[in-house]
Amino acid sequence: QVQVVASGGGEVQAGGSLRLSCAASGSMFLAHAMGWYRQAGGKQRELVARITLGGSINYADSVKGRFTISRDNAKNTVFLQMNSLKTNDNAVYYCKVTLRNYDYWGQGTQVTVSS
């Protein structure tokens, strides 16, 4: 049974940094894609960053130049380094792992940026 566990959220002042981690376990297969999504109050969930097994990366325009996604393929783990955080980044962040054409979601982790 695949489990996806995210960690690393918290509270930080504007301009600060946080690093999120997400690990998928319970599968012998490497994840085709791993990504981070976020959902702010009253809004739809949106893509933040996504990385494929081959290394292709997509970022939301709003985080380009500030966030960096990376992964450890051997451990089916993905990271999101978030720098220069803004109050607009306030949201619950979710990790999504695509394994054998099926999407698995981790529990959300709250990121709070105060001004």
Side-chain angles (χ1 to χ4, degrees):
Q1 183 175 354
V2 176
Q3 287 190 315
V4 178
V5 178
S7 61
E11 184 169 352
V12 66
Q13 287 191 328
S17 299
L18 285 173
R19 180 177 170 88
L20 305 182
S21 300
C22 173
S25 62
S27 173
M28 64 168 50
F29 298 100
L30 294 178
H32 167 68
M34 307 183 81
W36 291 95
Y37 295 72
R38 67 185 180 187
Q39 188 167 20
K43 296 183 179 180
Q44 287 189 329
R45 191 172 297 187
E46 62 176 2
L47 172 70
V48 176
R50 179 179 180 269
I51 183 169
T52 68
L53 184 60
S56 296
I57 293 175
N58 298 100
Y59 290 106
D61 288 342
S62 59
V63 307
K64 285 180 180 177
R66 301 187 297 121
F67 291 10
T68 302
I69 190 170
S70 60
R71 63 183 286 175
D72 182 337
N73 289 335
K75 298 181 180 179
N76 264 349
T77 300
V78 64
F79 307 96
L80 186 68
Q81 178 66 41
M82 305 185 292
N83 298 330
S84 303
L85 282 160
K86 305 176 181 180
T87 55
N88 286 348
D89 296 318
N90 277 311
V92 178
Y93 284 68
Y94 296 90
C95 174
K96 187 177 83 170
V97 175
T98 302
L99 271 162
R100 304 195 74 190
N101 296 319
Y102 192 86
D103 293 333
Y104 298 87
W105 289 91
Q107 87 288 5
T109 184
Q110 178 72 47
V111 170
T112 302
V113 183
S114 57
S115 57

